[in-house]
Structure formats: C-alpha cells, structure tokens
Amino acid sequence: MRRYLRVVVLCLACGFCSLLYAFSQLAVSLEEGAGGVGGKPQAAAASWLGGDGRGAGRGVGSSGSAAHHGRSDRYGVKMQPIERVHLAVVACGERLEETVTMLKSALIFSIKPLQFHIFAEDQLHDSFKGILDSWSFLQTFNYSLYPITFPSENAAEWKKLFKPCASQRLFLPLILKEVDSLLYVDTDILFLRPVDDIWSLLKKFNSTQIAAMAPEHEEPRIGWYNRFARHPYYGKTGVNSGVMLMNMTRMRRKYFKNDMTTVRLRWGDILMPLLKKYKLNITWGDQDLLNIIFFHNPESLFVFPCQWNYRPDHCIYGSNCQEAEEEGIFILHGNRGVYHDDKQPAFRAIYEALRNCSFEDDSIHSLLKPLELELQKTVHTYCGKIYKIFIKQLTKSIQDRYDRPPKERVNRRNVGAHDVRKGRCTVCQCRNSYQFIKCNFKCLKTIALLHFNI
C-alpha cells in the first residue's frame, strides 16, 4: 500500500512541476510579445539615411507595428494580441511643456496602450526621457525618441519651412517604415476624450483613403485658403494638418497625381519637387504642401468633423463648429499661442487644468469644478460665451473613466492584467515572469482548469 502511495505522490509532484514549467514558459513567451514601458529601442532609419542608422530612436520603447499576431497556446486558450495606438509629435524650441501636457492628456483617458514617437531637438531628449521615465508606473505606454531628420539635400530648407521642424511630419512615413498607421498631432493639442476614438476612424477609411484631417475653416467668409492662397488647396477651405491620422502603409504604396509631370510619383519622390515649385507661393509650409497633394488626389483624404481639431478660429468671431456645439470638443488645438497669452482665456484655462493635474484619480476627477469656475470668467470673449462646449466631452470622458465602480474601472497601472471571458486571456503588461504570474493568476488558474478539466 505504501508503495502505491509513493507512486501517487511522485506522479502528483511531477505533474505539479510540469504545470509550473508550462506556466513559466507561457509567461516568458508573452513577455517577448508584449511591451511594458521598458525595452530596447529599435532603429528607425529614413530611406535617405542609408545603412548608417543615424535615424535611430533614442529612449525607451520601439517603433514597431501596432500589434503582434495572435496565437493559441498549448492548452487551447487563445492569446489576444495587444493593439497599440501610435502617436507622433515633433517638438523644437520652447515646446517641451506643451508636448508633455499633450502626452499627459492622451494617457489620462486612453484605453489601449500607447506608443509615443517623439521627434525632438537633441537638447530636449534628456528632459523628455526624465519626465516620461517618471511615468513608468502607469505601464500603459512605450516611447521612442528620435532626432530631427531631413534629407541631407536641402535639409536646412526643410527645417526652416514655416516653423522650426514642423515639416518633419511629411517624412514620418519614410522614417517609421515599420509602423502601419499613425496619429500625428501638433504640440499644442489636448485630448478631451480617449485617443482610441479618433484611432477608430481608421476603420472608416474606404479603399482609396490614406489620411484624415479636419477642414481649415467651417465658414468660408473667414477662410484663409479660399481668400488668400496662391496655390491649389483641398475642398472649399483647405484642411488643417495639426491633427492628421495616417495609414502609412497605403501612403508608402500609393502613386500620387500631380501638376509637375504626367507620371504619378510616390510619397518620397513628390515632396522635394513640390517644394521647389511652390516655395515662393506657400505661407503655412508643410500644411500647404499637404493641401496641394490632396487637391490633386481628393479621393485619398478622409475628412473628419471640426470637433476633432477645434481651434480659436471656430469661436473667436462667433461659434461656427456645429458638431462641437452638439457633442462638445473632442480634441482642442491651441494654435495662435493661445495657451500662453490672455487673448483666448477659455483655451488657456483648459490647458492649465490638464497641465497641473496628476495621474491620480482624485486629481483628475476634481479638476472639473475649478475648471468650470475659471471658464465662467471668460464669458466676455466669444469663445468664453460657449464655454460649456469646452467641458461637455471632458466631463463625459472623466465620468466614463473614473466614475465607474472600482471593479469596473480600467486600472491604468495594470491594463489587461486578467480578462477571463469565454476562454480568452489578454496579455498582462508586466516586466518579468513573477509579475506576470501574479497579475495573471486568474488567467493561469483558468488554463489549469481547462487543462485538467477540473
């Protein structure tokens, strides 16, 4: 009898060890497929840089594709891929604070993990790295830092076009070759709802559309392009490139119609000829070049409403963005330097509220009442008279994210820790096997139950 008991105990011990080994291998494999804030940066070399790698990203994270392929493990539990939202920004000069505030607004409300691609002058890299590394406890984003990079020929001309470094956005499809889709925003952007929502517009593209932007103006009587432009522009009033959603795979593949040759040109071949032809006729630099390109290729542009790129032009002469009046502002664009002067205090109030808040739930939840009081002081301006549209969507975003019962909230410090529904497990963003097993205990328990049919 003792002999049989020993055999049973030995079999149980072997089975337990096998189970631990299986779990450890699962943890290791998932760590290789999912990134936390840590990780080695990958080089992102532009086509004109050749093989010397001078376009390598510096900092944490990688400029990889938006999602890894899903797979099924040995126990038949389907591992869901993590889709990352890729967000790019270009920062030069005194734009550090603006950029950091924009990134913070993206993190506060977003649901999916974010991949930041930050193009900045070399002297700003250490500051960005110090701030973003201090946010690593969130475990909801990666970032890559890149130097400002232009084609060696005419590099100085590109860098000085319109504002310093602004034209860098034109070359993102050529630099971030491994990235399929990308949301580019100016530094003076503030997200008042999850980045996921504008990212979802990619699914609304038809087969010919490669990018999405908002109109430059809603009211032609105050439009700039239709009154002053000396070059072709898209639609009735042109488009604004401060918020630009791109399917960069399609951009790299497409051959563009143009007015310089009967031959269609690819993205990397059309930019320099356009600049040479129109450089004496353009005022807004790279935005004008984009307007010219989409004037000749209108079928390639998806136009989203003004509430996704709400600027002072939409209210300084009276409200002219109907969608924002109905649903609130989704993305605030503080161009004209309105975050830093007293000309449009409503814009400044939103900026300062988000700049000063922390990532703590109480801090985010408590910013609404003081913000509304500040906005009520701005009613002497046209934008201030409609101040409620500035907080309508912001209030909803905070309620959706932070007013839920604790069990229903999305934990920003451990997104996707465990999600056991219908035999599915989502990947936990943890840095080592111990953290993975700890935060995915429920998922691992489910695997065991499925495996042993308990």
Side-chain angles (χ1 to χ4, degrees), residues 352-371:
E352 291 181 348
L354 289 171
R355 181 195 63 190
N356 296 331
C357 81
S358 70
F359 289 107
E360 297 300 323
D361 290 7
D362 291 340
S363 175
I364 295 168
H365 194 274
S366 63
L367 69 80
L368 286 175
K369 288 185 177 179
L371 174 58

Side-chain angles (χ1 to χ4, degrees), residues 239-440:
V239 287
N240 184 280
S241 60
V243 179
M244 185 176 179
L245 185 63
M246 296 176 274
N247 183 320
M248 298 201 299
T249 299
R250 291 184 181 182
M251 293 178 74
R252 288 185 285 261
R253 292 174 179 171
K254 183 175 175 62
Y255 288 83
F256 293 87
K257 300 188 292 287
N258 60 87
D259 59 359
M260 298 170 292
T261 173
T262 56
V263 178
R264 297 190 179 198
L265 301 175
R266 300 182 76 170
W267 189 261
D269 301 321
I270 197 173
L271 297 175
M272 196 64 231
L274 270 183
L275 179 62
K276 288 181 178 180
K277 179 173 181 177
Y278 288 105
K279 64 180 179 180
L280 299 179
N281 295 327
I282 59 178
T283 303
W284 309 114
D286 54 307
Q287 179 173 291
D288 291 346
L289 296 182
L290 289 169
N291 268 279
I292 296 169
I293 290 173
F294 289 109
F295 168 82
H296 294 291
N297 301 270
E299 74 286 350
S300 298
L301 188 65
F302 178 95
V303 180
F304 48 67
C306 49
Q307 64 197 134
W308 292 103
N309 187 354
Y310 192 91
R311 304 181 304 284
D313 303 87
H314 292 121
C315 58
I316 56 176
Y317 305 114
S319 180
N320 58 66
C321 179
Q322 183 177 349
E323 291 85 354
E325 293 175 12
E326 295 173 355
E327 300 179 279
I329 299 168
F330 295 169
I331 295 178
L332 193 69
H333 187 175
N335 64 340
R336 301 173 180 260
V338 293
Y339 294 152
H340 311 293
D341 60 33
D342 297 322
K343 293 180 180 179
Q344 298 301 328
F347 282 78
R348 183 170 182 172
I350 299 289
Y351 174 77
E352 291 181 348
L354 289 171
R355 181 195 63 190
N356 296 331
C357 81
S358 70
F359 289 107
E360 297 300 323
D361 290 7
D362 291 340
S363 175
I364 295 168
H365 194 274
S366 63
L367 69 80
L368 286 175
K369 288 185 177 179
L371 174 58
E372 186 169 6
L373 292 175
E374 285 298 315
L375 289 171
Q376 289 173 355
K377 299 176 184 178
T378 70
V379 294
H380 61 284
T381 65
Y382 279 113
C383 295
K385 288 178 180 178
I386 55 171
Y387 75 86
K388 289 187 178 180
I389 73 170
F390 284 78
I391 56 173
K392 188 173 185 177
Q393 180 59 48
L394 180 62
T395 301
K396 185 178 184 301
S397 297
I398 291 176
Q399 290 174 345
D400 289 346
R401 190 67 186 272
Y402 300 96
D403 281 0
R404 295 177 180 178
K407 290 184 179 180
E408 297 181 15
R409 291 185 191 175
V410 177
N411 186 348
R412 296 192 310 281
R413 296 175 182 241
N414 193 21
V415 173
H418 46 70
D419 181 13
V420 188
R421 302 196 237 1
K422 299 180 182 178
R424 296 178 182 176
C425 293
T426 55
V427 179
C428 177
Q429 296 184 58
C430 299
R431 297 186 181 183
N432 54 52
S433 299
Y434 171 75
Q435 287 185 0
F436 173 83
I437 293 175
K438 182 180 179 181
C439 64
N440 280 288

Side-chain angles (χ1 to χ4, degrees), residues 10-39:
L10 181 60
C11 290
L12 288 174
C14 292
F16 181 73
C17 292
S18 299
L19 186 62
L20 286 179
Y21 176 79
F23 285 166
S24 66
Q25 292 300 306
L26 177 63
V28 171
S29 65
L30 289 176
E31 285 174 14
E32 293 173 351
V37 177

Side-chain angles (χ1 to χ4, degrees), residues 42 49 70 87 135 146 181 240 266 289 294 369-370:
Q42 296 176 357
L49 295 178
L87 178 65
W135 295 352
Y146 305 86
S181 296
N240 184 280
R266 300 182 76 170
L289 296 182
F294 289 109
K369 288 185 177 179

Side-chain angles (χ1 to χ4, degrees), residues 156-196:
E157 192 170 5
W158 281 115
K159 187 171 183 178
K160 295 179 180 178
L161 187 64
F162 184 43
K163 292 182 180 180
C165 309
S167 59
Q168 178 74 82
R169 85 185 87 182
L170 295 176
F171 301 97
L172 297 182
L174 308 178
I175 298 174
L176 303 177
K177 293 182 179 180
E178 300 304 315
V179 178
D180 174 63
S181 296
L182 183 77
L183 175 63
Y184 166 85
V185 295
D186 286 346
T187 60
D188 50 9
I189 289 295
L190 293 173
F191 293 94
L192 305 186
R193 69 180 294 170
V195 183
D196 311 62

